[in-house]
Amino acid sequence: MGEDKVAAAVDAAEQLAERYRSLVEHTPDGICVHERGIVVYVNPATVRLLAAESADELIGRPLTQFVHPSSVPGMLERISHLTTKGAASDPTEMVLIRMDGVPIPVATVSVLTAWHDHLAYQVVIHDLTAQRHAEAAQHLAEQHFTTVVSQLEEGVVVIDPEGRIESANPAAMRIFGNEGSDDELIGKTIQSLPLTLLDANAQPLSPTRHPIARTLATGETITGYVFGVDRADGQRRWLSGSSRLLNPGDRRSSAVSSFADITEFRASRRQLEYQATHDSLTGLANRSLILSQLAGALATSEDLPVSTVLFIDLDGFKAINDTLGHAIGDTVLQIVAQRLQRALRSDDIVGRLGGDEFLVLLSGGTRRVDIDALVARLRSTMAEPIIARGHRIEVNASIGVTPLAVGDRRTPEAVLHDADLAMYRAKPSGHREGSASLSRRPNSTHAS
């Protein structure tokens, strides 16, 4: 029985040794054993790592032949502290030299172990070449990314979960009115910067309501929002921005806000919108805007924002153009427009339909007696002499009145038609269309 146990133990030991040899032979990491500075064993992975033809090229050679001179002192220092069987060094990076002289970055662990009834150093070698290439590629990509971001016309700011600025590219610095180093911004919160945030309607915007705050709180990506900044130098810049997490899978990720300066574009668009809705000669609302405002008033089911429509036509204006020229006629129209604006309330809307025809939308509730008084005052104001390029000109106005009522079912065009008819009835007979003569001619005597 005793012999059976011994045989079983020997068999188990041989099986364990065989499994260990198989593991060593097939592991992707290199394994080398050196004794008194001489290589006595290498596994196939070490042969490949050192670019040798076979293990025989390596065994029997000094270990230092395969270690870069800069790594030798550290290696000797580490193994000098391994004094007991099983003692191991900490994982350490070093550089080996292949058979063809090419250096290889590796990480090694040395263990003092039994080797043929005496002690030797077994070294596990992990090749870092692929890792170093990946790190170099990442570093290069980061350099490229930094270069690209720094050259963008679009501002880019990275903000940490606590709302502090981690980085800002030069474009962001310019937009914020800070041409210095980004170190002046790093670590600061938006609240502490010398600028005021505005929403799309130019109202103050708390940093806690800015879309990037929502991105940090919820992880949501937000694009295409418009906001403004009032800078310390007094400039207001309008920006179109987007915000997203740098690492969407990380709830504690910083967020990146990118924004383009659209100040000039916004101003141009507003100018185009203004030009599309205002008369170029007088600056008053044009026919399109007047009808739009009137349509909005008629669509209101409660208190009407517009109570009365006035249609104003200048009597004898054609004679001014015919006798004095269109340049003076344009001056007369501009002065009439200014007089109308001064004579009416700020809530009233004054527009020019074209030619010498003007339309007024009176706001709020107005009594008929007040309307009559206003019409008389407007006619009196219009009749005041106009001095244009040395000419003294007198112009009368015919004014038609059309009231609106809650539930008024007329279209804007119908209201305009009714106001036009009322104006025609109010016009002196000699100035009505089809009259053979004008009852009044402009006084073209030069002003003294």
Side-chain angles (χ1 to χ4, degrees):
M1 289 293 290
E3 292 179 357
D4 291 340
K5 289 182 179 182
V6 171
V10 170
D11 184 57
E14 290 178 350
Q15 290 182 23
L16 180 60
E18 182 59 31
R19 286 197 295 269
Y20 177 76
R21 281 193 296 271
S22 178
L23 177 64
V24 168
E25 291 293 311
H26 295 93
T27 181
D29 284 336
I31 294 179
C32 165
V33 178
H34 60 93
E35 182 182 1
R36 292 188 293 276
I38 302 299
V39 176
V40 295
Y41 170 80
V42 291
N43 70 343
T46 303
V47 174
R48 293 191 298 270
L49 180 67
L50 295 178
E53 293 291 336
S54 66
D56 293 338
E57 282 191 83
L58 306 176
I59 294 174
R61 297 195 179 200
L63 175 66
T64 54
Q65 182 178 339
F66 307 106
V67 179
H68 193 278
S70 63
S71 297
V72 170
M75 177 192 70
L76 297 177
E77 172 69 17
R78 288 190 298 278
I79 64 176
S80 69
H81 294 291
L82 306 180
T83 57
T84 59
K85 181 180 177 182
S89 66
D90 293 329
T92 305
E93 294 186 9
M94 58 186 297
V95 178
L96 299 184
I97 301 296
R98 300 195 323 183
M99 293 291 292
D100 56 9
V102 175
I104 315 167
V106 297
T108 64
V109 173
S110 297
V111 181
L112 187 61
T113 186
W115 180 260
H116 298 303
D117 299 328
H118 50 269
L119 296 177
Y121 298 99
Q122 178 174 285
V123 185
V124 179
I125 309 168
H126 179 67
D127 188 356
L128 297 178
T129 303
Q131 180 179 329
R132 290 290 182 267
H133 286 164
E135 290 171 351
Q138 181 178 355
H139 180 66
L140 183 61
E142 290 173 351
Q143 284 185 319
H144 288 170
F145 176 78
T146 300
T147 301
V148 170
V149 170
S150 67
Q151 297 301 315
L152 288 176
E153 289 297 320
E154 189 177 51
V156 179
V157 175
V158 178
I159 299 178
D160 72 15
E162 282 69 44
R164 294 185 297 263
I165 296 174
E166 292 184 338
S167 66
N169 73 339
M173 304 287 289
R174 291 194 300 271
I175 292 170
F176 289 164
N178 188 332
E179 298 291 348
S181 168
D182 63 354
D183 291 341
E184 299 176 23
L185 298 183
I186 303 305
K188 293 185 177 180
T189 62
I190 297 295
Q191 295 97 314
S192 66
L193 298 181
L195 52 83
T196 301
L197 295 178
L198 306 169
D199 63 19
N201 297 315
Q203 297 302 308
L205 176 66
S206 167
T208 59
R209 290 178 46 237
H210 190 279
I212 198 166
R214 197 166 86 206
T215 295
L216 285 169
T218 68
E220 178 183 0
T221 294
I222 308 172
T223 61
Y225 55 83
V226 174
F227 68 104
V229 290
D230 279 345
R231 305 190 327 191
D233 60 6
Q235 286 194 43
R236 173 172 293 180
R237 310 305 295 179
W238 287 104
L239 312 172
S240 174
S242 300
S243 58
R244 56 181 52 83
L245 292 181
L246 276 176
N247 301 302
D250 181 3
R251 296 185 60 183
R252 293 293 298 167
S253 169
S254 297
V256 58
S257 174
S258 57
F259 39 87
D261 191 333
I262 59 170
T263 307
E264 284 71 25
F265 169 77
R266 184 182 173 100
S268 299
R269 188 182 68 181
R270 286 182 176 272
Q271 181 65 23
L272 290 174
E273 290 173 349
Y274 181 88
Q275 292 172 351
T277 56
H278 288 76
D279 175 50
S280 60
L281 178 64
T282 64
L284 299 178
N286 63 13
R287 182 187 187 92
S288 173
L289 180 56
I290 283 286
L291 290 177
S292 173
Q293 295 290 333
L294 186 54
L298 291 169
T300 304
S301 59
E302 300 176 357
D303 293 339
L304 287 174
V306 175
S307 63
T308 309
V309 177
L310 305 182
F311 195 114
I312 302 173
D313 181 81
L314 304 184
D315 298 333
F317 179 74
K318 182 176 183 301
I320 296 175
N321 278 335
D322 291 345
T323 59
L324 301 178
H326 288 278
I328 290 182
D330 288 347
T331 301
V332 169
L333 291 175
Q334 291 170 336
I335 293 174
V336 167
Q338 294 167 6
R339 289 181 177 181
L340 283 173
Q341 288 179 305
R342 287 197 299 266
L344 295 165
R345 299 164 300 182
S346 60
D347 292 341
D348 300 328
I349 300 174
V350 185
R352 181 185 176 213
L353 296 176
D356 61 343
E357 295 178 339
F358 298 84
L359 202 71
V360 175
L361 307 183
L362 297 178
S363 64
T366 311
R367 298 178 302 169
R368 181 67 203 194
V369 63
D370 296 328
I371 293 294
D372 292 342
L374 174 62
V375 169
R377 188 170 75 251
L378 288 176
R379 293 190 64 187
S380 176
T381 299
M382 295 298 103
E384 295 176 2
I386 295 173
I387 307 301
R389 301 192 181 189
H391 295 279
R392 180 186 178 90
I393 304 169
E394 294 180 5
V395 178
N396 285 336
S398 297
I399 302 176
V401 180
T402 298
L404 302 183
V406 175
D408 201 318
R409 302 182 65 84
R410 289 177 294 174
T411 64
E413 290 77 8
V415 172
L416 190 61
H417 176 71
D418 292 344
D420 188 10
L421 289 178
M423 180 277 299
Y424 183 77
R425 289 192 294 268
K427 185 181 285 290
S429 59
H431 288 281
R432 293 177 183 172
E433 185 178 351
S435 296
S437 62
L438 297 176
S439 64
R440 179 181 295 272
R441 290 285 183 179
N443 185 342
S444 60
T445 304
H446 285 270
S448 57

